[in-house]
């Protein structure tokens, strides 16, 4: 990682033949927030740390407001049903509410689609992100059309973390979540918009997991120690 400033030209070493704003090929480079792709270069739009975790590349900063970017996973809360648009209005913590089409679910039809109530939590991906339009989200994977890990999240507990911490947690090999999973069974979903959903077998276990995740932000170099401390403190039977 290195520090970049707005306007800096970013060089990314990769064997890919093209640069894509969303993955369409196995070898495509995925450009995330804070970077702008021009025909012959990539430039930084804001100051921060350039993070390269192939195929993903983005700028990590202290930004507090989430700005949607195509293909990013997000946790949203349903605010209203807009029948004239055949879509739900969803809060994803961005400057504008997102639209979730009634049929943006696996196998959804006019007769068979989820009827979401106000307050329902959904795990979705950003399908359309443009500064002059409301973002659009969907609960299906773009390539397969299957739900995979997207959809309605039932029960559990939702809390907020910083945007940078959310990206650490979203890593499939996140050392803290791996360490916690070795000690206790739980489910989790992490949105790049700084929201995390956790579900476990008991409220006591959920509290321990939430505390461990929040504490790890200030102790990122000690994931196993953090997991051990909170599991032993709040869930000694786990």
């Amino acid at each position: 990682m290195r520090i970049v400033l707005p306007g800096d030209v970013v060089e990314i070493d990769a064997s890919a033949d093209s640069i894509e704003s969303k993955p369409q090929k196995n070898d495509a480079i995925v450009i995330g927030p804070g970077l702008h792709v021009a025909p012959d270069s990539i430039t930084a739009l804001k100051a921060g740390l350039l993070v390269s975790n192939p195929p993903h590349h983005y700028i990590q900063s202290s930004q507090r407001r989430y700005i949607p970017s195509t293909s990013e996973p997000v946790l949203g809360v349903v605010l209203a049903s807009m029948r004239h648009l055949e879509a739900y209005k969803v809060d994803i913590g961005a400057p504008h509410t997102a639209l979730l089409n009634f049929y943006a679910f696996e196998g959804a039809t006019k007769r068979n689609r989820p009827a979401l109530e106000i307050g329902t939590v959904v795990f979705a991906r950003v399908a359309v992100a443009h500064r002059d339009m409301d973002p659009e989200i969907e609960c299906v994977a773009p390539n397969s059309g299957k739900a995979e890990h997207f959809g309605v999240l039932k029960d559990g507990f939702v809390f907020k973390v910083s945007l940078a911490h959310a990206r650490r947690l979203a890593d499939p090999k996140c050392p803290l979540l791996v360490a916690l999973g070795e000690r206790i069974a739980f489910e989790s979903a992490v949105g790049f918009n700084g929201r995390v959903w956790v579900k476990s077998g008991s409220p006591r276990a959920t509290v321990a997991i939430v505390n461990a995740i929040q504490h790890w932000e200030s102790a990122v170099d000690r994931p196993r120690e953090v997991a051990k401390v909170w599991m032993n403190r709040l869930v000694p039977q786990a």
Side-chain angles (χ1 to χ4, degrees):
M1 295 188 292
R2 69 182 180 88
I3 297 176
V4 294
L5 298 174
D8 285 356
V9 176
V10 175
E11 295 184 1
I12 295 176
D13 294 327
S15 58
D17 295 329
S18 62
I19 297 173
E20 304 289 344
S21 60
K22 60 182 179 180
Q24 295 180 346
K25 299 179 180 180
N26 292 334
D27 60 352
I29 298 173
V30 182
I31 300 300
L35 294 173
H36 172 69
V37 180
D40 57 352
S41 65
I42 303 175
T43 56
L45 296 178
K46 60 184 179 181
L49 289 174
L50 173 64
V51 179
S52 294
N53 185 20
H56 300 275
H57 306 272
Y58 60 92
I59 293 179
Q60 178 178 300
S61 68
S62 57
Q63 175 181 322
R64 294 186 177 183
R65 176 62 67 89
Y66 174 67
I67 304 300
S69 183
T70 306
S71 297
E72 291 187 341
V74 293
L75 261 73
V77 179
V78 175
L79 298 178
S81 175
M82 307 174 70
R83 295 187 178 277
H84 62 292
L85 295 178
E86 293 192 323
Y88 295 104
K89 180 184 290 187
V90 181
D91 169 30
I92 60 172
H96 302 285
T97 54
L99 296 178
L100 174 61
N101 192 280
F102 286 168
Y103 311 109
F105 298 86
E106 181 180 352
T109 63
K110 282 187 175 293
R111 293 188 177 184
N112 181 29
R113 61 177 176 82
L116 307 185
E117 298 180 355
I118 294 176
T120 298
V121 179
V122 294
F123 186 46
R125 66 177 290 275
V126 178
V128 176
H130 193 283
R131 64 181 181 180
D132 297 323
M133 299 171 56
D134 288 338
E136 296 179 19
I137 60 176
E138 60 186 8
C139 290
V140 293
N143 298 326
S144 65
K146 302 292 185 180
E148 295 185 3
H149 49 284
F150 297 115
V152 175
L153 299 179
K154 298 181 180 179
D155 303 321
F157 179 73
V158 177
F159 61 102
K160 295 181 180 179
V161 297
S162 69
L163 300 184
H165 195 41
R167 288 184 176 274
R168 282 193 291 267
L169 294 166
D171 185 339
K173 297 180 180 179
C174 172
L176 176 71
L177 297 185
V178 170
L180 289 171
E182 293 173 352
R183 291 175 171 270
I184 192 169
F186 71 97
E187 300 176 62
S188 66
V190 182
F192 280 15
N193 56 337
R195 294 176 180 173
V196 182
W197 172 84
V198 171
K199 180 181 179 181
S200 68
S202 70
R204 189 177 180 86
T206 299
V207 168
I209 294 166
V210 171
N211 280 325
I213 289 174
Q214 292 177 330
H215 182 75
W216 187 51
E217 185 164 10
S218 60
V220 294
D221 57 332
R222 304 192 305 274
R224 291 192 171 276
E225 179 182 329
V226 171
K228 182 179 179 180
V229 167
W230 286 104
M231 290 297 98
N232 291 344
R233 182 181 302 180
L234 295 176
V235 196
Q237 71 274 20

